[in-house]
Amino acid sequence: MTLRPSDHRSRRALACAAALFCLTASGAQAANPPAAGAAPAAPRAPARAFQQVRGDIWRVSNGNWWSLVYVTPDGILLVDPISVEFSTWMKGEFAKRFPGKAVKYIVYTHSHFDHVTGAGVFADSKPHIVAQERVLKNMDGRFPHMPGDMTDRNNDGRFQKEEIDIPTLAHPGICGMSVTYFAERDTDRKGYITAAEWFADAPKPDMVYSERMSLSFGGRRIDLVFPGLNHADDGTAVFFPAEKVLFSTDFPADALVGKSMRSLPSACGAFDQHPISEWIKSYRTLEALDFDILAQGHGAQNFTRQDLVEGREFFEDLQAAVAAGMREGKTLDEMKRTITLDKYKDWAFYRLLPDDIEAAYLNMKAHP
């Protein structure tokens, strides 16, 4: 293994063992709450399949949550283990599909719990776990960066039920988790979950980087790129220059994306508490890479550079329209009534445009 961090600030961190916990990706996206008094329906097992991206690069599905697998002469590089249950299934599939190939590297695209859980399943092959350096901060025991509007509202460094449930109940099926998720995690019924407990099943990375890093593995080159602040504050895009394939998760394709990237963003947490300017910067960072296949951690198929460009243009158009409304002294309600962004009327989840406008307004007030 050759490590070439472009900013010369890569370092190794002490790895930790992972306990086993089953988090299914089908439960990671909120569902409509059951009727009062009704027993919650048993979750359906997510669909699982291998999808070849190009050459030795594969996407592997757990419902609409996808891992990426790179098979080299010296073993396997896995991006995002997702869950213990799913990783256990993948491990069995690897033995059948790629006999004699052990997982030697695991890359976390970001620290959000529904993508990093399960790496401990591969502990017997002693893989290096690689991530952007902020992942270590998010896993160090204090309250981490969380997706959407799941935040530590009372600043006690713990997760209470209402802090998990508020976005779920406010935007069912769009933001937050399932309505039963907190109870599933609060196994000792103490009424809260610590950050350490939250990541108990996710080993910390033993290799981290700041801006960019290149791995040489099995005669192949893999580039890791930190795009900037977007859905996460510790994201990694994984670029395979020989194959011209780019993989990332939750940015630019969030969990609402299905067969098309022409889908309005969920806007949860006023765009995950990060400035819109940083989202646009993140798009441009990825656009500068020489790829032609955009493989994603969500979405039923692979996408293209043009999909990435159109996603950036939506954020630019939204930012410009809301900024103009603010300059004209319009209220938020007026902007939600008058800004239509007709260019995007045929996009999936266009009904979320008022939510996106409100999120942009709050975002730009917080980050002038």
Side-chain angles (χ1 to χ4, degrees), residues 57-126:
I57 301 175
W58 301 77
R59 286 204 311 159
V60 190
S61 66
N62 191 47
N64 194 33
W65 271 242
W66 294 78
S67 297
L68 185 127
V69 173
Y70 192 35
V71 184
T72 81
D74 291 344
I76 294 171
L77 179 141
L78 169 65
V79 185
D80 285 354
I82 295 179
S83 77
V84 170
E85 183 183 51
F86 180 54
S87 288
T88 301
W89 175 82
M90 277 197 295
K91 188 174 184 178
E93 289 295 309
F94 293 166
K96 291 184 288 186
R97 293 170 178 267
F98 316 117
K101 304 281 189 181
V103 173
K104 294 296 185 181
Y105 284 91
I106 296 175
V107 177
Y108 292 160
T109 58
H110 60 302
S111 64
H112 294 166
F113 44 86
D114 56 328
H115 296 279
V116 299
T117 306
V121 168
F122 303 98
D124 57 344
S125 59
K126 298 179 173 59

Side-chain angles (χ1 to χ4, degrees), residues 126-203:
K126 298 179 173 59
H128 289 291
I129 299 178
V130 193
Q132 204 274 342
E133 63 184 5
R134 285 190 181 92
V135 171
L136 287 178
K137 177 182 177 182
N138 281 318
M139 289 185 172
D140 71 1
R142 69 189 114 180
F143 200 94
H145 178 268
M146 294 281 285
D149 200 26
M150 291 185 287
T151 59
D152 186 13
R153 288 174 168 80
N154 62 5
N155 296 310
D156 68 348
R158 298 171 173 177
F159 303 89
Q160 274 81 30
K161 187 177 189 300
E162 60 272 17
E163 293 173 329
I164 301 299
D165 285 355
I166 285 174
T168 299
L169 298 176
H171 300 282
I174 303 296
C175 300
M177 308 295 290
S178 70
V179 292
T180 62
Y181 188 76
F182 184 86
E184 293 167 4
R185 294 302 306 269
D186 184 25
T187 56
D188 57 7
R189 300 296 183 264
K190 61 180 179 289
Y192 64 86
I193 304 168
T194 67
E197 289 170 331
W198 194 256
F199 289 114
D201 307 304

